[in-house]
């Protein structure tokens, strides 16, 4: 049995076409079903539905053989013991710093002001501002980061941006572009040795599907 860990939401939606191109069809819709283990057209392949941030954990400890997760999640939570053979080029976005449109970020940085930054990505934010030489107080949030500058909780946020519509709707502007993000295939290293043939076959199929989708 090969177990693939996925999270609901955009990664799942973007993964289905790749899986299909790789010859794997998920037989249930996780948004409709309450099941957390989904069957596929292949009797020896199943899909686990877990929280996005839990995907690396499942794969690290062997609860799943493979997983698909954002580079953001891997950087924030660490990727020890994970083999990362492939950038799947899906769920693309960037991780950015944003502030209220009326906040003069450039001056604050120039003056060496201490900034309060709210984010779900504390490790990524800490590293980014340390490299830049900006002193920050980090506030960990688990969602709706956009609210933090609006309520005075923070001067800035570090969050994912794709279309920019969420920032715009909340009168926030992007002032730094930290890095590009996409989803990665991650593999448990022990599983790769034990089930080499089946896992290699899946990696190769994903690789071909990615090439087909990004000519
Ligand atoms: O698990 P949870 O419910 O907290 O988050 P989720 O539902 O967003 O998770 P899921 O499973 O959909 O996948 C999240 C992963 O998708 C992230 O780890 C990224 O790798 C990837 N991804 C790509 C994104 C976005 N684009 C994205 N735009 N994850 C989140 N967003 C959010 C962003 O945080 C912001 O609130 O969308 C909003 C901005 O979108 P725009 O289009 O308005 O700019
Ligand atoms: Mg979600």
């Amino acid at each position: 049995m090969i177990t693939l860990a996925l999270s609901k939401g955009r990664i799942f939606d973007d993964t289905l076409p790749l899986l299909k191109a790789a010859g794997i069809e998920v037989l249930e819709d996780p948004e409709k079903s309450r099941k957390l283990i989904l069957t596929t057209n292949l009797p020896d392949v199943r899909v686990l539905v877990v929280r996005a941030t839990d995907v690396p954990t499942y794969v690290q400890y062997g609860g799943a053989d493979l997983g698909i997760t954002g580079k953001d999640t891997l950087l924030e939570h660490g990727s020890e013991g994970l083999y990362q053979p492939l950038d799947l080029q899906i769920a693309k976005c960037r991780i950015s710093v944003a502030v209220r449109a009326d906040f003069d970020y450039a001056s604050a940085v120039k003056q060496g002001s201490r900034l309060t930054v709210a984010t779900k990505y504390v490790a990524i934010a800490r590293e980014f501002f340390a490299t830049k030489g900006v002193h920050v107080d980090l506030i960990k949030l688990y969602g709706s980061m956009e609210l933090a500058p609006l309520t005075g909780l923070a001067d800035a946020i570090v969050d994912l941006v794709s279309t920019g519509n969420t920032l715009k709707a909340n009168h926030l502007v992007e002032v730094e572009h930290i890095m590009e993000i996409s989803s990665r295939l991650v593999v448990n290293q022990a599983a790769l040795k034990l089930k080499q043939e089946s896992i290699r076959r899946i990696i190769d199929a994903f690789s071909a599907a990615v090439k087909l989708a990004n000519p």
Side-chain angles (χ1 to χ4, degrees):
M1 179 63 71
I2 297 292
T3 305
L4 173 66
L6 293 177
S7 53
K8 280 194 208 180
R10 67 191 88 214
I11 291 182
F12 191 89
D13 297 341
D14 282 11
T15 301
L16 286 186
L18 283 185
L19 275 174
K20 199 164 177 192
I24 301 170
E25 289 188 53
V26 181
L27 302 176
E28 289 141 306
D29 178 353
E31 304 288 354
K32 290 187 185 130
S33 161
R34 306 197 134 207
K35 283 197 206 160
L36 299 175
I37 301 180
L38 309 178
T39 53
T40 73
N41 62 319
L42 303 182
D44 60 338
V45 179
R46 61 179 186 171
V47 169
L48 300 188
V49 181
V50 303
R51 278 299 294 265
T53 44
D54 290 337
V55 169
T57 309
Y58 270 89
V59 179
Q60 266 159 346
Y61 291 99
D65 301 305
L66 306 109
I68 295 178
T69 184
K71 184 182 171 191
D72 50 317
T73 305
L74 287 171
L75 288 174
E76 190 62 27
H77 297 269
S79 53
E80 215 182 309
L82 293 175
Y83 171 53
Q84 296 183 47
L86 217 49
D87 178 350
L88 297 173
Q89 312 263 19
I90 56 169
K92 285 188 188 174
C93 57
R94 52 194 184 271
I95 184 156
S96 295
V97 180
V99 299
R100 270 167 64 150
D102 60 5
F103 181 81
D104 192 347
Y105 174 81
S107 305
V109 167
K110 211 163 149 200
Q111 286 162 18
S113 311
R114 205 175 172 94
L115 295 177
T116 305
V117 179
T119 186
K120 176 161 130 183
Y121 299 102
V122 171
I124 294 173
R126 182 178 295 117
E127 156 97 30
F128 173 75
F129 287 109
T131 303
K132 207 177 148 65
V134 173
H135 292 286
V136 290
D137 292 312
L138 295 167
I139 298 178
K140 168 89 182 182
L141 290 178
Y142 293 88
S144 302
M145 261 76 82
E146 296 85 5
L147 274 176
L150 304 180
T151 53
L153 183 68
D155 302 311
I157 59 172
V158 167
D159 194 11
L160 303 176
V161 181
S162 42
T163 61
N165 291 338
T166 306
L167 292 180
K168 210 177 289 165
N170 291 292
H171 310 289
L172 300 176
V173 291
E174 231 173 323
V175 288
E176 302 266 16
H177 189 146
I178 301 181
M179 72 180 82
E180 297 296 327
I181 298 291
S182 57
S183 288
R184 311 293 156 122
L185 185 64
V186 293
V187 183
N188 176 283
Q189 286 175 341
L192 184 62
K193 290 196 190 103
L194 290 169
K195 308 179 189 176
Q196 202 173 78
E197 206 176 312
S198 330
I199 291 180
R200 276 286 163 208
R201 196 159 18 90
I202 293 178
I203 296 173
D204 291 346
F206 267 117
S207 173
V210 173
K211 285 200 187 103
L212 209 63
N214 303 276

